[in-house]
Amino acid sequence: MTTSSLETTAKALNETLEGLDLAGRLALVASLEGQAVFTTSLGIEDQVITAAIGENKLSINVATLETGRLFNETVALIEKTEETYGILIKRYHPEQADIDAYAARYGLNGFYESVEARHACCDVRKLKPLARALQGVTFWVTGLRRGQSGNRASTPFAEADAERGLIKINPLADWDIETIRAYVAANAVPVNPLHARGYPSIGCEPCTRAIKPGEPERAGRWWWENDEKRECGLHVPEAAASSIIPNSSSAA
Ligand code: SF4
């Protein structure tokens, strides 16, 4: 699709999705022409989407970025979720050659030293595998919510991602965390035990800490960086990510 047809389709979808419930939103996406993929981090929002896909047997592929630095609890949850819903969660791994090149340049844990080094690691372990997961995909389903951070406050239900040439679908955009928790409880959705230990947002183990009472949900992600809008680049266009990261020459 051209950029203008992506934008036209996304605008129409955005209006339609707003009037539907979660199952309806996902069923609509599954019914559209073009491949749909949901990328899950196994976080609580993503578990709700996986549950809705699995229980309704929707033709939306489920994939995850197995970065090699995930918490053991997250890795265990991948298998548990597959068993619970009888689905396959396709793992996308980083290339060993890229990891070796990163380690030679920055050190394996060089991401603590600079924003540039951190984004370079996310590029190798997340962005490149994500690009493979999204090859040939028309609709990319995510668990983004407006309440997760100020950076995500205006998340629409559907948006054109011209850089990747697809339409991003955010079926939980208007859900708050209480609604998410109520869905999980009512439907016995398996969730990461780390949530109960103060981790509302869970990424790679070395880059995630528990938050303190009153802190924003994503405060535990890359906590040593100062910028409130820190992201890994999955959901922020490269140019925009670069512009919100002070002193960064790379937003990859
Ligand atoms: S979150 Fe941390 S360990 Fe994971 S890819 Fe990004 S910098 Fe690397």
Side-chain angles (χ1 to χ4, degrees):
M1 275 195 257
T2 63
T3 298
S4 105
S5 65
L6 279 175
E7 285 170 354
T8 303
T9 305
K11 188 169 182 291
L13 266 177
N14 191 52
E15 288 167 10
T16 307
L17 290 168
E18 184 166 14
L20 302 174
D21 62 11
L22 175 61
R25 289 170 182 172
L26 291 169
L28 173 63
V29 173
S31 73
L32 297 171
E33 190 176 332
Q35 190 186 343
V37 165
F38 167 49
T39 53
T40 174
S41 69
L42 286 298
I44 191 167
E45 293 87 358
D46 290 351
Q47 289 300 93
V48 165
I49 294 177
T50 301
I53 290 172
E55 285 171 353
N56 293 290
K57 302 197 185 318
L58 299 174
S59 59
I60 296 176
N61 294 330
V62 183
T64 194
L65 308 180
E66 224 294 18
T67 66
R69 303 302 300 266
L70 299 179
F71 286 90
N72 290 337
E73 288 87 342
T74 305
V75 174
L77 186 57
I78 298 173
E79 279 191 21
K80 185 174 182 183
T81 304
E82 288 181 320
E83 287 166 12
T84 301
Y85 298 108
I87 60 169
L88 171 73
I89 299 178
K90 187 163 182 186
R91 284 84 157 160
Y92 286 86
H93 301 270
E95 300 285 353
Q96 189 59 48
D98 289 341
I99 292 173
D100 292 344
Y102 178 87
R105 178 167 179 186
Y106 298 102
L108 196 59
N109 290 341
F111 40 78
Y112 293 125
E113 302 304 321
S114 70
V115 175
E116 178 192 349
R118 201 268 284 173
H119 277 270
C121 185
C122 285
D123 183 44
V124 165
R125 293 184 183 273
K126 291 183 172 181
L127 290 175
K128 285 187 171 179
L130 176 68
R132 280 186 271 123
L134 295 180
Q135 261 172 17
V137 166
T138 306
F139 301 101
W140 175 22
V141 180
T142 86
L144 294 186
R145 287 189 300 108
R146 293 166 189 160
Q148 285 170 324
S149 69
N151 207 30
R152 297 180 177 184
S154 57
T155 299
F157 297 107
E159 58 188 316
D161 185 334
E163 199 172 305
R164 295 185 173 102
L166 50 74
I167 292 174
K168 202 161 153 184
I169 306 290
N170 310 307
L172 297 179
D174 58 346
W175 283 41
D176 58 26
I177 190 63
E178 287 74 28
T179 309
I180 296 279
R181 288 182 184 135
Y183 186 101
V184 163
N187 296 279
V189 178
V191 296
N192 197 319
L194 291 170
H195 289 312
R197 292 185 226 152
Y199 294 79
S201 176
I202 305 168
C204 292
E205 189 273 335
C207 299
T208 310
R209 66 157 171 76
I211 64 168
K212 301 183 187 94
E215 282 190 316
E217 286 182 33
R218 288 176 62 81
R221 306 292 297 278
W222 310 290
W223 70 93
W224 64 91
E225 293 180 5
N226 293 324
D227 197 301
E228 285 182 359
K229 293 181 177 178
R230 52 190 181 259
E231 294 272 359
C232 60
L234 297 186
H235 298 296
V236 180
E238 191 163 331
S242 182
S243 71
I244 62 173
I245 300 164
N247 305 319
S248 172
S249 60
S250 168

